[in-house]
Amino acid sequence: MPNHIVIALLTVYTMLFAVSAQAASKLPETIKVDRAALTSEPMCDPKISPAWREAQEIEGVKIEASPGCSPDNPAWIAAAVKGTNHISMDTLMKTGLSPDAIIKTDDLDGDGDPDRIIIKLEIMELNGKSPDFPGIIPTFDIAPGIQPGAWVFAPKTSGMSTENFESVRANPLLRLPSPVIRVEVGDIVQIVLENTHYFPHSIHLHGVDHPFSHGEHGGQDGVPQTSEVELMPGGRRVYQFQPRQPGTMFYHCHVQTHTHLTMGLAGMIVIEENKPNNWLQTLNIGAGHVRHPSVAVREQFTQEYDLHYHAMDKELSDMVQKYNDPRLIARDMNQRYDITDATEDYYTLNGLSFPYTLRESLIVVEPDQKIKLRMLNSGGEMIAVHTHGHHATITHYDGVEHNPMAQIMRDVFDMAPAQRLDLKLETINDGKHSYGEGDWLIHDHREKGITTNGMAEGGSMSSIVYKSYLGEHGMPKVSHFGIDLSEFFTKEYYERRYPIWQDLDEWASLGSPAGQMGLDPATQTSLLNALYGLLIGLVIYFIFAKREGIKQSITATVSRLKSPKGSNE
């Protein structure tokens, strides 16, 4: 072997040996990440006006205050209550909704509210691949820098899928989760599905009182195997029903449910009691707080919140970010994806993961209130929602009232996939209903439910926060306890590049060590690559230099194997 190869090998081995000896005698230095170098963002979304938090009246619709950081657009609420056919052009322009997105007509029972409701939904993709753009578009972050591919039912819009021509961020109406639909017992409801997507889809009205068939297209249960043919891209289908029972229900796509539902095509549908002059917030788009509750809810409760828990598989979400060709996506989803080997990676509440749940999905309360919580689990696994500092009462399972004499109080609420629970949360400080004022966590007590792609803190965590603990910008006031929430509002945190405990003391005793064996990762990688290269080169050189001897050895071995038994004796 040439001397230069031997010398090079000895040099690498000597360096590794020296590094190992150094590591044995000296601890690595601490690397402290400079907070100023992180990609930080405001805790409250600066694109949302603080004026939206205030109680107000638009088009004659009284809209409750919503003091959280990022409340819903009040114009959406006015349009959802009155219908897009009964509001001014000025209000309609502030919503971005199509003029025919929500049509309300005909007071059929003469009680002062409309009874014929038409809701138009589209199917949109978030964080997907585009043939005209190298990145993903339109973008929707569920947490800082976290952009899983997703599909949603969205209210019919009149504008672009992005905020504007210069942005790739999704139009605010196009977001997770699919909107909550609210109608009244006895309403004649038409949900018009316009398939603006590249795959076939349907709607199944899960738990909703609806006839199996509809004159326009036969079956209308949404199931291709029993009800109707899938709605192809560019198609339109009407799902019509007149509900007879109130309750918290569910709607979702029933085409290839193992993937389409997981991708986000699922939402809550609430059937309210029939009450006079009951103008409902027909669509609740986003934040969960119902800012115009029904008459029946206002009679019993101070506030109402919709809490939609959902989980997504990263492997599945990534498929729509790989290809521009729907055939390739269909192949991977329908023929290669195996849900029995799947894992849930993204856990969301109302479409977002912590810390963004603090922007939108806080349950903001005051002492001595009764709060109605409607909860849906559209994920693929059981969840266990725990309310810190409170015991709530289960009033309904899957839209059906539980026997009032048997209603129980708990602080952990098990919810199977597709299950709905209605809870009564009372803020009476008696040590049972409530322990008193504070910023009380509400979260999935399966420990993976508080992670985002395996990184904690994340997932569907939020808070039951009393107004006395709420800051002027709608975020919990925790800084005077020494807690800094700003570190969570950096994408580096969820990229695992920030040592989460480095700032707990002045000397960063739990900062990042300077790499294995005292070397930074780049140096380690370079040394190992050099060693592997030399070893491979050595093997190739040995084979080349000894090729004649190797050839003779192989020939002799083959000859012995072919010779008759005992011929060598």
Side-chain angles (χ1 to χ4, degrees), residues 390-425:
H390 298 79
H391 289 79
T393 303
I394 303 173
T395 61
H396 297 71
Y397 289 94
D398 295 338
V400 179
E401 184 178 13
H402 195 46
N403 181 351
M405 299 299 294
Q407 291 178 4
I408 59 173
M409 296 180 70
R410 304 184 67 176
D411 67 7
V412 177
F413 304 93
D414 300 328
M415 295 182 67
Q419 189 169 30
R420 290 88 61 209
L421 291 181
D422 288 16
L423 304 182
K424 178 173 63 175
L425 178 73

Side-chain angles (χ1 to χ4, degrees), residues 64 288-290 293 297 300-307 362-375 390-395 421-428 433-434 442 463-467:
E64 294 182 357
H289 184 198
V290 184
V297 168
Q300 299 183 60
F301 297 93
T302 313
Q303 296 187 80
E304 180 180 13
Y305 288 84
D306 300 325
L307 305 177
L362 291 176
I363 301 169
V364 182
V365 302
E366 294 186 78
D368 302 317
Q369 289 187 331
K370 290 183 180 179
I371 317 295
K372 184 173 183 65
L373 306 179
R374 298 182 189 266
M375 301 167 62
H390 298 79
H391 289 79
T393 303
I394 303 173
T395 61
L421 291 181
D422 288 16
L423 304 182
K424 178 173 63 175
L425 178 73
E426 298 183 77
T427 57
I428 303 167
H433 295 85
S434 168
I442 177 171
S463 288
I464 301 166
V465 59
Y466 285 71
K467 281 190 177 179

Side-chain angles (χ1 to χ4, degrees), residues 119-123 153-155 179 181 191-194 203 251:
I119 303 161
K120 291 192 175 180
L121 298 178
E122 302 175 309
I123 297 175
F153 294 112
I181 296 173
I191 299 178
V192 182
L193 179 61
E194 297 182 352
I203 288 180
Y251 71 101

Side-chain angles (χ1 to χ4, degrees), residues 164-432:
N164 53 55
F165 285 106
E166 298 177 349
S167 172
V168 296
R169 181 172 167 173
N171 178 327
L173 289 166
L174 312 182
R175 55 158 296 156
L176 289 166
S178 299
V180 180
I181 296 173
R182 261 184 176 77
V183 295
E184 187 183 43
V185 168
D187 284 349
I188 298 174
V189 183
Q190 289 187 340
I191 299 178
V192 182
L193 179 61
E194 297 182 352
N195 190 359
T196 48
H197 197 234
Y198 49 75
F199 275 178
H201 295 289
S202 72
I203 288 180
H204 171 56
L205 300 167
H206 184 132
V208 181
D209 171 25
H210 66 282
F212 178 77
S213 61
H214 181 269
E216 182 175 301
H217 56 80
Q220 64 160 14
D221 194 39
V223 185
Q225 294 76 24
T226 63
S227 176
E228 78 261 19
V229 175
E230 299 95 323
L231 180 63
M232 290 295 287
R236 174 182 177 277
R237 183 162 295 163
V238 177
Y239 294 88
Q240 180 167 309
F241 59 98
Q242 188 172 16
R244 293 169 288 181
Q245 299 293 331
T248 304
M249 310 303 182
F250 182 25
Y251 71 101
H252 61 84
C253 179
H254 220 297
V255 175
Q256 290 290 296
T257 319
H258 71 299
T259 55
H260 290 210
L261 194 160
T262 302
M263 287 290 291
L265 292 176
M268 297 173 69
I269 183 165
V270 176
I271 313 299
E272 297 279 8
E273 296 179 45
N274 191 313
K275 295 282 185 177
N277 202 31
N278 199 17
W279 289 77
L280 299 175
Q281 184 179 328
T282 300
L283 293 183
N284 190 11
I285 305 166
H289 184 198
V290 184
R291 298 182 67 180
H292 188 83
S294 70
V295 171
V297 168
R298 290 199 302 268
E299 288 174 350
Q300 299 183 60
F301 297 93
T302 313
Q303 296 187 80
E304 180 180 13
Y305 288 84
D306 300 325
L307 305 177
H308 181 165
Y309 290 86
H310 186 67
M312 294 178 285
D313 176 18
K314 185 178 187 299
E315 179 190 355
L316 181 64
S317 294
D318 286 350
M319 290 179 184
V320 301
Q321 298 177 349
K322 290 180 181 178
Y323 311 111
N324 294 323
D325 190 335
R327 297 171 303 170
L328 298 178
I329 300 173
R331 178 201 64 191
D332 282 12
M333 283 193 173
N334 299 340
Q335 296 166 259
R336 296 183 175 180
Y337 179 69
D338 185 352
I339 194 173
T340 62
D341 294 330
T343 58
E344 293 182 340
D345 301 291
Y346 304 115
Y347 300 93
T348 64
L349 170 58
N350 290 337
L352 301 175
S353 298
F354 180 87
Y356 286 175
T357 49
L358 302 183
R359 288 179 170 180
E360 290 194 5
S361 297
L362 291 176
I363 301 169
V364 182
V365 302
E366 294 186 78
D368 302 317
Q369 289 187 331
K370 290 183 180 179
I371 317 295
K372 184 173 183 65
L373 306 179
R374 298 182 189 266
M375 301 167 62
L376 162 67
N377 174 19
S378 63
E381 299 179 1
M382 179 81 74
I383 66 174
V385 178
H386 172 40
T387 52
H388 285 217
H390 298 79
H391 289 79
T393 303
I394 303 173
T395 61
H396 297 71
Y397 289 94
D398 295 338
V400 179
E401 184 178 13
H402 195 46
N403 181 351
M405 299 299 294
Q407 291 178 4
I408 59 173
M409 296 180 70
R410 304 184 67 176
D411 67 7
V412 177
F413 304 93
D414 300 328
M415 295 182 67
Q419 189 169 30
R420 290 88 61 209
L421 291 181
D422 288 16
L423 304 182
K424 178 173 63 175
L425 178 73
E426 298 183 77
T427 57
I428 303 167
N429 184 5
D430 59 3
K432 180 173 67 172

Side-chain angles (χ1 to χ4, degrees), residues 35-109:
R35 289 284 296 273
L38 300 179
T39 311
S40 60
E41 57 185 73
M43 286 193 281
C44 284
D45 188 342
K47 293 180 179 291
I48 294 180
S49 170
W52 289 2
R53 302 173 191 154
E54 301 169 3
Q56 52 201 281
E57 185 171 323
I58 301 176
E59 305 279 355
V61 177
K62 293 183 178 180
I63 301 169
E64 294 182 357
S66 188
C69 180
S70 299
D72 287 332
N73 183 348
W76 292 351
I77 297 159
V81 174
K82 295 296 291 289
T84 49
N85 58 323
H86 289 305
I87 58 175
S88 67
M89 181 57 66
D90 179 62
T91 300
L92 182 64
M93 292 297 289
K94 291 176 181 176
T95 66
L97 291 164
S98 171
D100 60 349
I102 308 166
I103 303 296
K104 296 189 173 186
T105 58
D106 302 338
D107 181 5
L108 299 174
D109 56 10

